[in-house]
Every structure is written in structure tokens, then in C-alpha cells.
Amino acid sequence: MALSRLSSRSTTLLQPLATTSLLRRRHISTDTTPITVETSLPFTSHLISPPSRAVETSSQELISFFRDMALMRRMEIAADSLYKAKLIRGFCHLYDGQEAVAIGMEAAITKRDAIITSYRDHCTFLGRGGGLFEAFSELMGRTTGCSKGKGGSMHFYKKDASFYGGHGIVGAQAPLGCGLAFAQKYSKEEAVTFTLYGDGAANQGQLFEALNIAALWDLPAVLVCENNHYGMGTAEWRSAKSPAYFKRGDYVPGLKVDGMDALAVKQACKFAKEHALKNGPIILEMDTYRYHGHSMSDPGSTYRTRDEISGVRQVRDPIDRVRKLIIAHDIATEKELKDMEKEVRKEVDAAVAQAKSFGADRKELRATLP
């Protein structure tokens, strides 16, 4: 039985770890018997009754959450190193700290549901089934990347999994996402579109224009504000008179979610999808946090203290929260989880090495491509 959805979808150019033998060796529980866990915080709602805090999960899902988030975290740390080594050029926006949003959302929907996001898109691509090799190749501008090396960090793309890309223009993905939702309704697909944007983009006029049309036409649109509290180095309280982003739709229902709790995100996204299919758009505000700066040119420590960052890591880190759940339910031991993280690191290092070498010689690259 596969330990992780992400590793099982790795590109054929990079074989995933032998997770089946890993499970046999360590006897880590992959039981699918339902486990009910209460979310860390209650949901706060606007114009709608909130979902239950009791979330159904399983040993298998919790192990999958842990490994997938660890893989995302390690990928972003590797991307940071590659940028500093000048192997990644241009813009690069990292997602470490926000992994629970990508993981929880994916657990609640299917690949028929579409996702479109901003320039902080690496982990969303991985969550949709993208491979590490494709990700690192794209970051380094190689033709073997998910956008053939033409998009770079801000423009990952995977149409076969209904991932319609990252977008560099702040808030521009909002009308595009509502357009995708219009197409789904027009085609009677019984699917929804999740449009992700940040707290900085929440002040863009095009967001309100798109939301107005979505509400008028009852489109199956879920607008997800990933509120990491700092838009391009500016704290939310300095840029928004009303930072209650889940209420910004006024006439559209909203829900505020602990975006550092993967199970809370899963519950909220499942709830939002059901609502959007029956009643039209809904806004989700994910209260999350980024550990790195806004981009690679931002040290991330001039407008907030290091104590603030370390405090969030200690109390709200999404990976540690799942780690504690796994240990509390006797699914795996601390050592087994540390070993899993070591395996993840090896997998990421192997993908980096392969992406560095594959296509380094342009003539050799052209000879290998169809």
C-alpha cells in the first residue's frame, strides 16, 4: 500500500522510494479505520452555519499528510539553496509554513476540481500530483520542467490534474478562476474551482468584480485567501482597514479556518465544495504563516521579529501538529517519523541532482527529447 500520494506520482525520470518495503520494515500503521479528531480551533463563519469541528481521518491519511508536508518543506528548503547558488534565477516565492493548506485542500477534493493560484505555487503543484524532478527542472529553467522551463517559479502548470497555474500578476488569478468555474457550470461538470490568493491580493479590485459575477451567476467558485499576514513585507493591519477577509464578500458566505491545521483545512474545503455546487461562491480565509520572506530578495525579518517566526514554529507548525497526532494515536513512533523525514530528504536530494545534470548539456538534452 502506498505511503504517500505524492511519491507514487513522481515522474518516471525519478523513481519514488520503495515505500511498501518501508512499511513492512517499520510496521507503521496504515489502517483506514476512521479516527475522529477535533480541529484545534473553531471555525468562524459569515452568513452561514460553520461545519463541525469533528473531522474524520485515518492512520493512513495522517501518515500521508505527514510525509507529503515533509516533502513539500524539504523541496522549498532545497529551492532556497538553489537560488542562493544562482541555479534558480528571477523570482522565487517559497511556501514553507503553509503546507497544511495545500495538503488539506487536496484531501477534500478530486482532480476534476480545478485549482488556480498565485506565484507561491510550488507545493500546490506537488499536491496536484506533480513530480519533484519536474518542479526542480522548472525552477532551473530546463525544458524538462512542468512548463518546459518557460514559466519558472511563478508559473507552474499541470493541466491533466486541473491545475491551471501560478500567476505573477497580483490577484489576476481571481477572474480566471471564476471563469473556470463558469466553464464547469456551463458544461455541467459537477466540479468546483478553488482560486487561491494572498492577503495582499485581497485588496485588488478585480477580485471584487469577479466575485460579483460569480455571485450573480451562482458559479461553483471557492475563493481561498491564504492569509499569511504579510503581503510583500507589509503587515495586514497596515494595508487593510478590515482584515476579516472571510467577510469581504459581503453578500457571499465566508469561513475563517486555522490554515496551520491540515484537518481543519480538509473539513472546510469539503464543506465549501458542497456549498459551491448547490449555492454558488463561498470565501475561505486560511489563517496561515510563511517562514521565509515574501520572495528571495526579502530577508523576512525587517518587518517582523525572529521571535515571532520561532514562536509560530513552536506552537502552530503544521507538520509538528500532525506528528503529535500520529504519536498520540500510536500510529508511528518519533524515531520512525524522523527516519521518514530522512528518506524524504534523500528523495529531494536525488531529484535536485537529477534536475541539475539532466539537460545541462544542451546538445545532449535535444537528443533525448521526442
Side-chain angles (χ1 to χ4, degrees), residues 32-37 55-59 61-62 65 263 266:
T32 56
T33 303
I35 299 171
T36 301
V37 177
V55 188
E56 189 175 286
T57 184
S58 66
S59 299
E61 182 174 68
L62 288 173
F65 279 7
L263 290 173
K266 172 189 169 183

Side-chain angles (χ1 to χ4, degrees), residues 43-95:
F43 299 101
T44 308
S45 61
H46 170 65
L47 299 180
I48 199 168
S49 297
S52 169
R53 290 180 64 183
V55 188
E56 189 175 286
T57 184
S58 66
S59 299
Q60 184 184 53
E61 182 174 68
L62 288 173
I63 286 290
S64 174
F65 279 7
F66 179 83
R67 191 182 192 283
D68 291 353
M69 286 195 289
L71 193 70
M72 290 176 175
R73 178 75 56 86
R74 179 51 56 180
M75 176 183 70
E76 295 297 66
I77 291 170
D80 179 54
S81 298
L82 288 169
Y83 196 95
K84 289 170 181 174
K86 297 185 178 180
L87 289 170
I88 297 174
R89 300 299 183 101
F91 293 100
C92 185
H93 302 83
L94 304 180
Y95 200 77

Side-chain angles (χ1 to χ4, degrees), residues 118-129:
S118 68
Y119 38 71
R120 206 176 302 279
D121 59 356
H122 312 160
C123 293
T124 308
F125 169 76
L126 218 60
R128 290 267 86 181

Side-chain angles (χ1 to χ4, degrees), residues 1-10 14-20 22-23 26 28 30 59-75 99 103 123 126 130 132 262 318-320 322-323 326 332 336-349:
M1 185 176 293
L3 176 63
S4 167
R5 295 189 306 277
L6 295 184
S7 61
S8 66
R9 299 193 198 103
S10 295
L14 178 69
Q15 294 300 319
L17 295 174
T19 52
T20 304
L22 183 71
L23 293 177
R26 293 176 184 158
I28 295 174
T30 56
S59 299
Q60 184 184 53
E61 182 174 68
L62 288 173
I63 286 290
S64 174
F65 279 7
F66 179 83
R67 191 182 192 283
D68 291 353
M69 286 195 289
L71 193 70
M72 290 176 175
R73 178 75 56 86
R74 179 51 56 180
M75 176 183 70
E99 298 92 348
I103 289 298
C123 293
L126 218 60
L132 288 170
I319 299 176
D320 283 345
V322 173
R323 186 197 309 273
I326 289 171
E336 287 167 341
L337 294 178
K338 284 186 180 297
D339 287 344
M340 198 179 296
E341 288 175 305
K342 290 177 183 176
E343 300 275 6
V344 161
R345 184 167 186 164
K346 290 178 182 177
E347 188 174 340
V348 170
D349 288 347

